[in-house]
Amino acid sequence: MPKKYYAVKKGRKPGIYSTWPDAQKQVSGYPSAQFKSFQTEREAQEYVNGDLKTPSLVTPDSLIAYVDGSFDKRTQTYSYGVVLLKNNKVLAELNNSARDPEYAESFQIAGECFGALNAIKWAIDNSYKDIIIYYDYLGIEMWATGQWKANKTVSKDYVKFFKAFKNKINISFVKVKAHTGVIYNERADELAKQALTTSS
């Protein structure tokens, strides 16, 4: 029997569930609940987030990366977490942290930028032709595509590295809403927080 993903858009705890009983708990008796089942997790995520468009570069061979950043004010440390997957199978998880003062002034945004760049680098190193980056901070896409002007050190360096990478791989972006139960986005957040713990 094909696997199904149960997407709860409006319920007690919106998100994606792998079994109907788990999803049912979120919607049963909930006023104006909105939910649907899908064959793929990507479709389920797009339904939950509502404002997503299917990137034109998505193919069965596409590499997908979820990226997130974190920041520790006490130690002025920023970090990133990345989950890389293909056909809903996790291939790798990346995380790291650093304390460069010029980047730390941008807090967790610095981590998000380095997460996206390291995801792209991983894809290039592993001979992928395209990558789709799922992110929750809009600057990740807007700086890369030139829709936002890069003013701070971190955004300027992000754009510089992005331009160098984009000649080697096709890159597309999908925005997800933070902390809405999107499984791999939450995992990327966990990985970023873990990197802060190991650095302190």
Side-chain angles (χ1 to χ4, degrees):
M1 188 174 176
K3 183 171 175 62
K4 278 192 175 182
Y5 295 89
Y6 300 91
V8 177
K9 188 170 188 175
K10 191 175 176 185
R12 290 179 183 84
K13 189 178 177 185
I16 297 158
Y17 297 86
S18 55
T19 69
W20 169 240
D22 287 342
Q24 191 175 25
K25 288 175 192 171
Q26 312 308 320
V27 299
S28 184
Y30 190 91
S32 305
Q34 293 178 25
F35 56 96
K36 248 178 155 181
S37 67
F38 295 90
Q39 298 297 321
T40 69
E41 188 176 17
R42 182 174 58 78
E43 290 173 316
Q45 286 164 350
E46 289 171 3
Y47 171 76
V48 168
N49 286 283
D51 55 354
L52 300 184
K53 295 174 184 173
T54 305
S56 58
L57 291 173
V58 173
T59 70
D61 292 321
S62 291
L63 180 69
I64 289 173
Y66 285 82
V67 304
D68 208 353
S70 195
F71 186 73
D72 186 332
K73 287 182 181 176
R74 182 177 55 85
T75 60
Q76 291 294 294
T77 305
Y78 51 89
S79 65
Y80 66 81
V82 177
V83 182
L84 292 141
L85 59 153
K86 179 180 167 185
N87 292 326
N88 292 313
K89 181 182 177 185
V90 175
L91 302 179
E93 293 183 337
L94 314 173
N95 66 351
N96 206 349
S97 63
R99 294 177 182 166
D100 186 316
E102 281 195 285
Y103 296 142
E105 69 176 10
S106 296
F107 308 118
Q108 75 274 7
I109 293 168
E112 301 228 10
C113 288
F114 286 112
L117 291 174
N118 277 280
I120 297 166
K121 184 178 183 303
W122 190 96
I124 293 168
D125 290 347
N126 287 274
S127 305
Y128 282 91
K129 291 190 170 88
D130 62 75
I131 182 170
I132 300 138
I133 296 175
Y134 284 69
Y135 65 91
D136 59 27
Y137 175 68
L138 200 55
I140 295 301
E141 179 174 359
M142 294 298 170
W143 285 321
T145 56
Q147 294 178 69
W148 284 6
K149 186 179 178 185
N151 293 316
K152 291 195 173 181
T153 303
V154 71
S155 53
K156 287 177 182 176
D157 286 355
Y158 173 67
V159 170
K160 181 174 74 176
F161 282 108
F162 181 86
K163 283 179 177 175
F165 286 151
K166 75 174 185 178
N167 297 323
K168 301 175 183 177
I169 188 169
N170 294 315
I171 305 164
S172 57
F173 297 94
V174 175
K175 183 163 187 339
V176 297
K177 291 176 184 172
H179 310 298
T180 53
V182 178
I183 298 165
Y184 296 118
N185 184 246
E186 298 291 345
R187 177 58 183 157
D189 181 54
E190 282 175 21
L191 288 165
K193 286 181 169 60
Q194 282 175 19
L196 288 178
T197 306
T198 55
S199 72
S200 58

